[in-house]
């Protein structure tokens, strides 16, 4: 049993991560980050998830740094969110420069202030192609830095880094994760659009293992 800060965005992966950490018997704190993302409503889903399992939840407001991320479809509003599969070149428009290093740095700081042993985040193998800061090499480097940044070494845990989203969904169903209370869609509208890369991947995750998808998509597919 360890004291762990879990990075919880409000999406499927981080929700599963939180339940996975609790199932292992760890004492958890959860942190979410407002970086001015288009789908900022995910933070409310993160809050509700944490309330449901009685985990302390902190939202770090970094929205003031939004302009430094430049022109992309997640932190900006001028570029439309591309639709289609993550394998398509257009999905690189959803890359927020160095996002995970910033989010993890904030989580590590909170972990240090709470004398936690580790920070956990839900990067997985499906993210590697277009998101360099989800790759094992990046996580390994951040783990080294986290162990050196405070008097008490902090480890960076990434239990899903060699799993795909379908395997994560399967694990989440085993744990009883309320996926209907998670948010994935990058467009941040009333319902999941069902067409952006995040929604397409969400659909595929459930179908890969013949799992029931509780998501209400606006495209009704």
């Amino acid at each position: 049993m360890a004291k762990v800060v879990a990075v919880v965005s409000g999406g499927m992966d981080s929700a599963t991560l939180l339940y996975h950490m609790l199932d292992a018997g760890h004492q958890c704190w959860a942190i979410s980050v407002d970086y001015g993302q288009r789908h900022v409503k995910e933070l409310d889903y993160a809050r509700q998830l944490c309330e449901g399992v009685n985990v302390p939840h902190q939202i770090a407001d970094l929205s003031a740094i939004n302009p430094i991320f430049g022109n992309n479809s997640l932190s900006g509003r001028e570029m439309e969110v591309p639709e289609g599969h993550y394998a398509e070149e257009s999905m690189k428009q959803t890359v927020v420069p160095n996002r995970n290093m910033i989010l993890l740095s904030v989580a590590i700081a909170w972990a240090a202030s709470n004398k936690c042993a580790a920070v956990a985040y839900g990067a997985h193998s499906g993210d590697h192609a277009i998101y360099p800061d989800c790759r094992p090499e990046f996580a390994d480097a951040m783990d080294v830095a986290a162990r050196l940044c405070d008097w008490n070494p902090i480890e960076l845990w990434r239990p899903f880094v060699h799993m795909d989203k379908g395997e994560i969904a399967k694990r989440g169903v085993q744990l009883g994760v309320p996926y209907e209370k998670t948010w994935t869609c990058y467009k941040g509208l009333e319902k999941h659009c069902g067409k952006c890369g995040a929604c397409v991947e969400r659909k595929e995750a459930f179908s890969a293992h013949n799992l029931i998808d509780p998501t209400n998509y606006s495209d009704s597919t």
Side-chain angles (χ1 to χ4, degrees):
M1 179 177 177
K3 295 170 64 177
V4 181
V5 168
V7 180
V8 178
S9 68
M12 283 181 63
D13 307 330
S14 64
T16 308
L17 173 77
L18 180 61
Y19 275 67
H20 183 75
M21 291 292 105
L22 293 171
D23 182 65
H26 299 303
Q27 184 178 0
C28 292
W29 284 265
I31 191 166
S32 307
V33 178
D34 180 352
Y35 56 92
Q37 59 266 51
R38 185 191 298 259
H39 54 302
V40 69
K41 65 184 297 179
E42 67 178 354
L43 301 182
D44 190 51
Y45 282 79
R47 177 187 58 77
Q48 294 179 57
L49 278 167
C50 294
E51 288 178 352
V53 288
N54 296 314
V55 168
H57 179 232
Q58 177 76 40
I59 295 179
D61 185 358
L62 302 185
S63 57
I65 70 172
N66 179 273
I68 74 171
F69 293 126
N71 193 24
N72 65 81
S73 63
L74 294 199
S75 64
R77 300 295 186 275
E78 296 180 359
M79 182 183 293
E80 291 297 319
V81 174
E83 297 180 351
H85 196 277
Y86 269 125
E88 298 176 21
E89 183 69 16
S90 61
M91 290 303 151
K92 289 185 177 180
Q93 297 172 18
T94 66
V95 175
V96 179
N98 203 33
R99 177 178 60 176
N100 275 352
M101 183 179 286
I102 294 170
L103 270 58
L104 289 172
S105 294
V106 172
I108 290 166
W110 200 38
S113 68
N114 281 295
K115 301 276 191 286
C116 292
V119 166
Y121 81 126
H124 63 84
S125 64
D127 290 336
H128 298 174
I130 62 169
Y131 297 124
D133 57 1
C134 288
R135 295 172 183 166
E137 298 89 340
F138 171 82
D140 290 344
M142 284 298 292
D143 178 58
V144 172
R147 293 170 188 264
L148 298 173
C149 72
D150 190 65
W151 292 281
N152 300 305
I154 298 168
E155 299 177 2
L156 180 61
W157 294 353
R158 54 276 192 199
F160 304 149
V161 76
H162 296 298
M163 298 169 63
D164 62 33
K165 203 177 190 77
E167 293 169 324
I168 294 172
K170 182 178 179 181
R171 173 61 176 152
V173 169
Q174 293 171 347
L175 293 169
V177 176
Y179 284 130
E180 69 278 5
K181 297 181 180 179
T182 63
W183 185 265
T184 294
C185 184
Y186 283 156
K187 294 187 179 183
L189 303 175
E190 182 180 353
K191 297 179 181 180
H192 284 76
C193 74
K195 296 179 179 180
C196 70
C199 280
V200 170
E201 187 187 41
R202 183 180 176 109
K203 290 179 179 180
E204 292 178 345
F206 287 107
S207 64
H209 294 278
N210 296 314
L211 303 172
I212 295 175
D213 184 352
T215 313
N216 186 9
Y217 298 102
S218 61
D219 69 345
S220 300
T221 60

